[in-house]
PDB file of all heavy atoms in Angstrom:
ATOM      1  N   SER A 434      -6.161 -29.817  -3.701  1.00 91.00           N
ATOM      2  CA  SER A 434      -7.469 -29.293  -3.255  1.00 91.00           C
ATOM      3  C   SER A 434      -7.622 -29.257  -1.737  1.00 91.00           C
ATOM      4  O   SER A 434      -8.678 -28.656  -1.406  1.00 91.00           O
ATOM      5  CB  SER A 434      -8.514 -30.304  -3.809  1.00 91.00           C
ATOM      6  OG  SER A 434      -8.195 -31.631  -3.546  1.00 91.00           O
ATOM      7  N   VAL A 435      -6.704 -29.629  -0.867  1.00 95.00           N
ATOM      8  CA  VAL A 435      -6.883 -29.618   0.459  1.00 95.00           C
ATOM      9  C   VAL A 435      -7.044 -28.111   0.937  1.00 95.00           C
ATOM     10  O   VAL A 435      -6.337 -27.249   0.487  1.00 95.00           O
ATOM     11  CB  VAL A 435      -5.727 -30.350   1.281  1.00 95.00           C
ATOM     12  CG1 VAL A 435      -4.488 -29.564   1.117  1.00 95.00           C
ATOM     13  CG2 VAL A 435      -6.180 -30.425   2.766  1.00 95.00           C
ATOM     14  N   ALA A 436      -8.077 -27.832   1.792  1.00 95.00           N
ATOM     15  CA  ALA A 436      -8.235 -26.473   2.105  1.00 95.00           C
ATOM     16  C   ALA A 436      -7.486 -26.148   3.429  1.00 95.00           C
ATOM     17  O   ALA A 436      -7.244 -27.002   4.224  1.00 95.00           O
ATOM     18  CB  ALA A 436      -9.760 -26.309   2.371  1.00 95.00           C
ATOM     19  N   GLY A 437      -7.153 -24.834   3.517  1.00 95.00           N
ATOM     20  CA  GLY A 437      -6.360 -24.472   4.634  1.00 95.00           C
ATOM     21  C   GLY A 437      -6.243 -22.978   4.587  1.00 95.00           C
ATOM     22  O   GLY A 437      -6.825 -22.302   3.799  1.00 95.00           O
ATOM     23  N   ARG A 438      -5.602 -22.396   5.668  1.00 96.00           N
ATOM     24  CA  ARG A 438      -5.490 -21.003   5.711  1.00 96.00           C
ATOM     25  C   ARG A 438      -3.949 -20.647   5.728  1.00 96.00           C
ATOM     26  O   ARG A 438      -3.175 -21.352   6.301  1.00 96.00           O
ATOM     27  CB  ARG A 438      -5.977 -20.426   7.013  1.00 96.00           C
ATOM     28  CG  ARG A 438      -7.343 -19.770   6.812  1.00 96.00           C
ATOM     29  CD  ARG A 438      -7.998 -19.249   8.240  1.00 96.00           C
ATOM     30  NE  ARG A 438      -9.429 -19.318   8.214  1.00 96.00           N
ATOM     31  CZ  ARG A 438     -10.175 -18.533   7.589  1.00 96.00           C
ATOM     32  NH1 ARG A 438      -9.667 -17.387   6.939  1.00 96.00           N
ATOM     33  NH2 ARG A 438     -11.526 -18.506   7.606  1.00 96.00           N
ATOM     34  N   ILE A 439      -3.590 -19.545   5.114  1.00 97.00           N
ATOM     35  CA  ILE A 439      -2.177 -19.165   5.061  1.00 97.00           C
ATOM     36  C   ILE A 439      -1.857 -18.479   6.568  1.00 97.00           C
ATOM     37  O   ILE A 439      -2.673 -17.725   7.022  1.00 97.00           O
ATOM     38  CB  ILE A 439      -1.861 -18.115   4.072  1.00 97.00           C
ATOM     39  CG1 ILE A 439      -1.986 -18.799   2.663  1.00 97.00           C
ATOM     40  CG2 ILE A 439      -0.535 -17.464   4.315  1.00 97.00           C
ATOM     41  CD1 ILE A 439      -1.891 -17.689   1.561  1.00 97.00           C
ATOM     42  N   GLN A 440      -0.885 -19.051   7.186  1.00 96.00           N
ATOM     43  CA  GLN A 440      -0.531 -18.533   8.525  1.00 96.00           C
ATOM     44  C   GLN A 440       0.948 -18.032   8.504  1.00 96.00           C
ATOM     45  O   GLN A 440       1.781 -18.869   8.683  1.00 96.00           O
ATOM     46  CB  GLN A 440      -0.705 -19.617   9.641  1.00 96.00           C
ATOM     47  CG  GLN A 440      -2.288 -19.744   9.895  1.00 96.00           C
ATOM     48  CD  GLN A 440      -2.424 -20.949  10.820  1.00 96.00           C
ATOM     49  OE1 GLN A 440      -2.131 -22.123  10.586  1.00 96.00           O
ATOM     50  NE2 GLN A 440      -3.120 -20.741  11.959  1.00 96.00           N
ATOM     51  N   ALA A 441       1.052 -16.675   8.456  1.00 96.00           N
ATOM     52  CA  ALA A 441       2.309 -16.136   8.480  1.00 96.00           C
ATOM     53  C   ALA A 441       3.300 -16.525   9.509  1.00 96.00           C
ATOM     54  O   ALA A 441       4.471 -16.650   9.419  1.00 96.00           O
ATOM     55  CB  ALA A 441       2.206 -14.700   8.357  1.00 96.00           C
ATOM     56  N   GLU A 442       2.618 -16.568  10.699  1.00 96.00           N
ATOM     57  CA  GLU A 442       3.437 -17.018  11.911  1.00 96.00           C
ATOM     58  C   GLU A 442       4.129 -18.340  11.780  1.00 96.00           C
ATOM     59  O   GLU A 442       5.228 -18.570  12.474  1.00 96.00           O
ATOM     60  CB  GLU A 442       2.671 -17.054  13.149  1.00 96.00           C
ATOM     61  CG  GLU A 442       1.508 -18.030  13.127  1.00 96.00           C
ATOM     62  CD  GLU A 442       0.572 -17.912  14.423  1.00 96.00           C
ATOM     63  OE1 GLU A 442       0.718 -17.041  15.123  1.00 96.00           O
ATOM     64  OE2 GLU A 442      -0.166 -19.057  14.536  1.00 96.00           O
ATOM     65  N   ASN A 443       3.668 -19.189  10.939  1.00 95.00           N
ATOM     66  CA  ASN A 443       4.449 -20.487  10.704  1.00 95.00           C
ATOM     67  C   ASN A 443       5.323 -20.532   9.661  1.00 95.00           C
ATOM     68  O   ASN A 443       5.861 -21.457   9.289  1.00 95.00           O
ATOM     69  CB  ASN A 443       3.261 -21.550  10.266  1.00 95.00           C
ATOM     70  CG  ASN A 443       2.326 -21.806  11.559  1.00 95.00           C
ATOM     71  OD1 ASN A 443       2.614 -21.378  12.720  1.00 95.00           O
ATOM     72  ND2 ASN A 443       1.199 -22.245  11.249  1.00 95.00           N
ATOM     73  N   PHE A 444       5.557 -19.304   9.006  1.00 97.00           N
ATOM     74  CA  PHE A 444       6.523 -19.248   7.820  1.00 97.00           C
ATOM     75  C   PHE A 444       7.988 -19.559   8.306  1.00 97.00           C
ATOM     76  O   PHE A 444       8.415 -19.215   9.532  1.00 97.00           O
ATOM     77  CB  PHE A 444       6.620 -17.847   7.267  1.00 97.00           C
ATOM     78  CG  PHE A 444       5.416 -17.566   6.438  1.00 97.00           C
ATOM     79  CD1 PHE A 444       5.239 -16.216   5.952  1.00 97.00           C
ATOM     80  CD2 PHE A 444       4.485 -18.580   6.133  1.00 97.00           C
ATOM     81  CE1 PHE A 444       4.275 -15.935   5.062  1.00 97.00           C
ATOM     82  CE2 PHE A 444       3.279 -18.150   5.226  1.00 97.00           C
ATOM     83  CZ  PHE A 444       3.316 -16.895   4.747  1.00 97.00           C
ATOM     84  N   TYR A 445       8.797 -20.311   7.550  1.00 97.00           N
ATOM     85  CA  TYR A 445      10.133 -20.482   7.792  1.00 97.00           C
ATOM     86  C   TYR A 445      10.922 -19.085   7.482  1.00 97.00           C
ATOM     87  O   TYR A 445      12.047 -19.018   8.091  1.00 97.00           O
ATOM     88  CB  TYR A 445      10.742 -21.624   6.936  1.00 97.00           C
ATOM     89  CG  TYR A 445      10.180 -22.898   7.277  1.00 97.00           C
ATOM     90  CD1 TYR A 445       9.023 -23.420   6.854  1.00 97.00           C
ATOM     91  CD2 TYR A 445      10.900 -23.610   8.189  1.00 97.00           C
ATOM     92  CE1 TYR A 445       8.502 -24.681   7.259  1.00 97.00           C
ATOM     93  CE2 TYR A 445      10.416 -24.948   8.653  1.00 97.00           C
ATOM     94  CZ  TYR A 445       9.248 -25.491   8.109  1.00 97.00           C
ATOM     95  OH  TYR A 445       8.668 -26.552   8.587  1.00 97.00           O
TER      96      TYR A 445
END
Side-chain angles (χ1 to χ4, degrees):
Chain A
S434 51
V435 66
R438 256 178 213 284
I439 292 171
Q440 283 176 306
E442 59 180 16
N443 296 339
F444 283 175
Y445 288 86

